[in-house]
Amino acid sequence: LARVATTAEAAGFDRMSVMDHLFQMVRLGGPEMEMLESTTTLGFLAGHTSRMKLLALVSGVVYREPGMLAKSVTTLDVLSGGRAMLGIGAAWYEQEAAGLGLLFPPLAERFERLEEALQICLQMWSDEDTPYKGMHYELARTLNNPQSLSRPHPPILIGGSGEKKTLRLVAKYGDACNLFPRDDLGHKLEVLQQHCADEERNYDEIEK
C-alpha cells in the first residue's frame, strides 16, 4: 500500500482514495477477502505521501456518527498538511452493516441522515460551536479544535448519481460529485445543472 501511494505520487497523481467498506464487495471477491478500515488507512497514507489529496470514496453516513466523522476528517487534514477531503454517501452495503451490527435504516432515512451529517460537518468546520438538533442527530456543542487547515473546509465529495436526492445534495452542499461511466452522464449533468440553478449555486464550482 505504501509502495502504491509513493509510486502514484511520484508519477504525478493528484488524489488517492480508499473504499469505506468493512467487508469486501461481492463483485470484487466477497466478504471473506481482506478489507482495511478507511480512516486508519488514510492516516497511514498521509504518513507516506506529501502532496496528494486523500479521501474515502465514500464513507457510508450510517457507519460513523457525524461529529466523529468530521473530527476524523479534520484530524487527517491537520496531520497531512491540509490534504483531506470528505467523501460521503447514503451507504448501500447492507450485508456488512448487518454482519457487524451497524445501523442500516431504510433508504429514505439514510438520505435524511446524509443531509444532516453534511450540515453537521459544515457547522463543525465553521466558527460556530453551537448545538445542532435534527431529526436524527443531536449535538450539544459542535466544537472542533484544532480546526481543519483546508479553508473554508475540506472539500466535500458526495457519492452517487440519484437524480432527486443525491444530485440535489451535491448542488446544495458538495464541492464534487462521483458519477459512473454506466450512467447517462450527459443527462445526469443536466439534472445537476438544474439543481444548481434551483439552489442558486455556480455549477462550474462543482468538480465532476
Side-chain angles (χ1 to χ4, degrees):
L1 184 60
R3 179 177 55 80
V4 168
T6 55
T7 301
E9 187 166 76
F13 279 82
D14 177 68
R15 185 174 306 169
M16 187 168 185
S17 60
V18 300
M19 287 193 287
D20 186 18
H21 284 298
L22 308 168
F23 290 0
Q24 179 58 273
M25 294 187 290
V26 172
R27 65 183 176 86
L28 295 178
E32 291 75 22
M33 298 290 287
E34 297 90 345
M35 177 55 66
L36 297 173
E37 190 276 328
S38 65
T39 57
T40 311
T41 302
L42 289 168
F44 174 83
L45 291 172
H48 285 276
T49 57
S50 60
R51 182 183 53 77
M52 288 194 297
K53 290 277 191 183
L54 302 168
L55 74 155
L57 189 65
V58 291
S59 290
V61 65
V62 291
Y63 291 176
R64 296 170 187 82
E65 291 295 301
M68 182 60 73
L69 177 63
K71 189 69 175 179
S72 296
V73 175
T74 300
T75 299
L76 178 65
D77 195 62
V78 170
L79 296 182
S80 68
R83 296 187 287 125
M85 295 178 65
L86 169 63
I88 192 168
W92 62 270
Y93 197 179
E94 186 172 6
Q95 183 178 354
E96 65 183 354
L100 298 182
L102 302 176
L103 180 69
F104 199 85
L107 183 61
E109 181 178 329
R110 299 201 308 272
F111 270 105
E112 292 169 355
R113 288 176 178 272
L114 176 57
E115 182 157 19
E116 289 188 17
L118 288 163
Q119 293 169 353
I120 290 166
C121 288
L122 288 170
Q123 183 166 322
M124 288 185 65
W125 287 326
S126 73
D127 294 331
E128 289 187 47
D129 65 1
T130 54
Y132 176 92
K133 184 174 178 57
M135 289 174 52
H136 303 287
Y137 300 110
E138 185 171 352
L139 287 72
R141 188 182 184 192
T142 53
L143 180 66
N144 192 30
N145 187 20
Q147 191 52 269
S148 65
L149 299 183
S150 299
R151 296 277 85 197
H153 55 76
I156 297 171
L157 180 148
I158 299 173
S161 58
E163 297 178 13
K164 293 182 179 180
K165 294 183 178 180
T166 306
L167 293 180
R168 180 187 67 81
L169 293 176
V170 171
K172 190 170 183 179
Y173 301 103
D175 301 293
C177 61
N178 181 46
L179 304 174
F180 294 88
R182 65 174 180 264
D183 295 327
D184 182 349
L185 291 177
H187 173 68
K188 296 294 182 182
L189 293 174
E190 287 176 0
V191 171
L192 177 59
Q193 196 160 18
Q194 183 58 56
H195 283 306
C196 286
D198 294 342
E199 295 290 340
E200 300 183 349
R201 176 79 188 280
N202 184 351
Y203 170 81
D204 294 328
E205 290 177 353
I206 297 172
E207 181 184 3
K208 293 84 176 174

